[in-house]
Amino acid sequence: MVDLKIHTNAGEGRENGFHAAVMRILLTDRTTRRNIVWATDDYEDCGELYRAECPITMDLLTGENAKLIQPRTTKTKSDRMSRTKGRAEVFTPAWMCNEQNNLIDAAWFGRPDVFNFSTNKGWKTNSAVISFEDKRGRRWKDYVDAKRLEITCGEAPYLTSRYDMVTGNPIEIRDRIGLLDRKLRVVSENAKDESEWLKWTFRAYESIYGFEYQGDSLLLARENLLYTFVEHMQNQWNRAPQPSELKRVASVISWNVWQMDGLSFAVPFGKTDVQGDEHATGSRDNIEKKEVYCKIRDWRSRKTLQYRTLVERK
Ligand SMILES: C[S@@+](CC[C@H](N)C(=O)[O-])C[C@H]1O[C@@H](n2cnc3c(N)ncnc32)[C@H](O)[C@@H]1O
C-alpha cells in the first residue's frame, strides 16, 4: 500500500507520497509518448535541463527540487506578475468558478441551484441528496458520463476545487464546486457498494477534460485530480487507494488533462522534421517542420483522435 497523506497543496506528494510509477504516469504526454515539457522559462536558472523545451523528468522534481513546482498562490508577487504578462495567467476565484459551473448544471438539470446556491462571493452547499429524473439521458449515470472540458485549465479550478486558487484556502470535500467534484458527489450518493463506486468514479474521470500550455501548471492540475481521488476514497471507504487503482486513475488523467497550445492544437515545442518534397535529395533544404497535433481519448467509444478534428469539424 502506498503511504499517501492528504495534502492541501498539490506538490507535496512528489516529496513524500506518490509511488514513482504513479508520478511517471503523471509526467507522460500521450501524444508524443515522451514526458510533458516545461514550456515556461521560469525555471531556466536551475540549469540546462530546465529550459522551456526540455522534458520534465522525475529526477528534476525530487530530492532538493521536490518543492520546485508550487501552486500559483505560493509564488512570489513578481513571479505571479511575470506569468500574468507572459501567459495571461490569472486564476479564477472558487466562487466565480462555482457560478459558471452552476449555469452548466442548471442547463443540464433544467433547474437552478442543484448543488448549492451563490451568496455574495461565496456559496452555500445543498445537503439533500441530488434528485434525478427517471428518464433516458437524465439519470445519475448520464450525469457522470456527460463530457466536460476546462480550456487553458491552469491548475484546473473548474474541474476540482481542493483549494481556492486565489486565497490558497483548502475547501472541504462536501463544499467543493468543480465539475469533477460534482460528479463524484453524485457517484457517492448513488453507488450501492464499493465496486459500483469505483466503476463510476473511474467513469467520472474519463468524462472530464482539460488542456494547458505550461508544464508546471499542467502537472499541478494532474496532481490535484489525483489527490481528489485519494481524498474521496478516504472519505467514502476509509482507506487509501491500492497502487493499481492509483495507476489507473493517473493513466486516465494523463490522457484527459493534456499539454497543448490552444492556438495551434499542437504539443508545445513538438515540431518534427518531415521531408518537404517527394523528390527530395536528402538535403536539409527539403526539411519542413510539422506540428505534432494533440491526441485525446474518447473512453466510451474507445477511440483516440486528434483534438483539432473536433474543433475544425464543420
Ligand atoms: C487566465 S489563466 C486561467 C486558468 C484557469 N482556467 C482559471 O480559470 O483559473 C490562463 C491559463 O491559460 C494558459 N495559456 C495561455 N496561453 C495558452 C495557449 N495558447 N494554450 C493553452 N494554454 C494557454 C496559461 O498558461 C494559464 O495557465
Side-chain angles (χ1 to χ4, degrees), residues 87-92 150-154 157-158 211-214 217 260-263:
R87 278 273 152 214
E89 187 184 89
V90 184
F91 286 175
T92 314
E150 180 176 356
I151 62 165
T152 62
C153 67
Y158 285 86
F211 67 79
E212 166 59 40
Y213 187 89
Q214 299 184 96
S217 296
M260 181 172 83
D261 181 344
L263 301 175

Side-chain angles (χ1 to χ4, degrees), residues 111-180:
R111 60 179 200 268
D113 302 336
V114 176
F115 289 84
N116 62 63
F117 56 91
S118 302
T119 55
N120 183 22
K121 296 198 174 175
W123 65 93
K124 187 129 184 36
T125 303
N126 297 329
S127 52
V129 170
I130 309 293
S131 63
F132 287 85
E133 288 179 80
D134 188 12
K135 202 164 102 182
R136 208 163 152 223
R138 283 290 169 269
R139 300 190 176 99
W140 74 268
K141 292 178 179 172
D142 300 310
Y143 180 78
V144 175
D145 273 344
K147 293 190 182 85
R148 303 278 183 259
L149 164 70
E150 180 176 356
I151 62 165
T152 62
C153 67
E155 294 168 27
Y158 285 86
L159 298 181
T160 183
S161 61
R162 300 180 57 249
Y163 51 93
D164 190 307
M165 294 287 155
V166 175
T167 62
N169 293 338
I171 300 175
E172 296 280 343
I173 290 182
R174 65 171 177 277
D175 291 325
R176 291 186 187 171
I177 52 79
L179 297 165
L180 174 68

Side-chain angles (χ1 to χ4, degrees), residues 212-246:
E212 166 59 40
Y213 187 89
Q214 299 184 96
D216 55 351
S217 296
L218 179 77
L219 180 62
L220 290 164
R222 288 179 171 187
E223 288 178 339
N224 272 326
L225 292 165
L226 192 69
Y227 284 128
T228 297
F229 177 71
V230 177
E231 290 163 342
H232 276 265
M233 176 71 88
Q234 197 64 51
N235 191 52
Q236 191 70 12
W237 304 108
N238 200 23
R239 72 170 176 90
Q242 302 284 348
S244 61
E245 294 164 342
L246 271 181

Side-chain angles (χ1 to χ4, degrees), residues 55-66:
I56 308 182
T57 56
M58 283 282 285
D59 48 333
L60 301 182
L61 293 181
T62 46
E64 61 184 26
N65 291 329

Side-chain angles (χ1 to χ4, degrees), residues 10-16 23 50 58-70 219 223:
E12 290 174 28
R14 260 174 257 141
E15 189 179 31
N16 55 9
M23 263 324 280
Y50 293 83
M58 283 282 285
D59 48 333
L60 301 182
L61 293 181
T62 46
E64 61 184 26
N65 291 329
K67 292 203 165 149
L68 189 64
I69 295 182
Q70 288 296 311
L219 180 62
E223 288 178 339

